[in-house]
Amino acid sequence: MAVGLIVWGISALMAGGSPKSSVQVTAYAKGDCFADFDAAANSGDKVDCTAAHSAQLVGVEKASDSEAYPGREALAQRSGQLCKDPGVTLPQDTSHLKQRSAYPSQDGWKGGDRRMDCYIVSTDGNTLTASVLR
């Protein structure tokens, strides 16, 4: 199995690509970069941030289990603030970038989902080739 993964990784690199790994949204981690990012998908193609990608997860916060549902607007604002982390360094030209937040619905919150995320997303597709985190 390991030999197959090594061969797959080498062939992907020789073809000019970067190995992709499909990751479930619940396993996304701060700093992860994604090719062909789809915010509505249950999983994404994680790639190295030096490879062409369309999004990077730059902020993650998990509310405590005891916290009452604060409402949609409060969660939108709170998750949006995650993109304003001092470790986020955007290029001078941000005309092709947007901020995208993800947060639980009221039903999701009742089911135990307390995670809030903020992504930097390219509106031009897989045009990013570096991390926006220091």
Side-chain angles (χ1 to χ4, degrees):
M1 174 90 172
V3 172
L5 289 175
I6 292 169
V7 170
W8 172 77
I10 292 171
S11 64
L13 289 173
M14 290 176 67
S18 175
K20 293 180 185 179
S21 61
S22 184
V23 178
Q24 292 296 310
V25 69
T26 55
Y28 289 2
K30 182 177 179 177
D32 285 350
C33 291
F34 301 94
D36 304 316
F37 182 69
D38 178 359
N42 291 326
S43 64
D45 289 330
K46 181 180 162 186
V47 297
D48 188 278
C49 291
T50 59
H53 59 280
S54 59
Q56 184 172 7
L57 178 57
V58 297
V60 177
E61 179 184 336
K62 187 170 189 250
S64 72
D65 290 340
S66 62
E67 186 177 337
Y69 181 70
R72 185 177 188 275
E73 290 301 315
L75 287 175
Q77 183 176 37
R78 197 163 151 185
S79 60
Q81 283 300 113
L82 296 171
C83 277
K84 298 185 183 351
D85 182 294
V88 176
T89 56
L90 298 175
Q92 278 191 314
D93 178 11
T94 59
S95 62
H96 66 287
L97 299 178
K98 68 178 179 177
Q99 173 180 312
R100 177 137 189 140
S101 299
Y103 47 88
S105 64
Q106 187 169 7
D107 287 340
W109 192 274
K110 286 179 186 175
D113 181 7
R114 300 286 195 280
R115 183 177 166 140
M116 293 158 275
D117 295 336
C118 196
Y119 301 86
I120 299 298
V121 180
S122 169
T123 58
D124 294 337
N126 294 320
T127 58
L128 302 172
T129 56
S131 176
V132 295
L133 290 176
R134 286 187 247 173

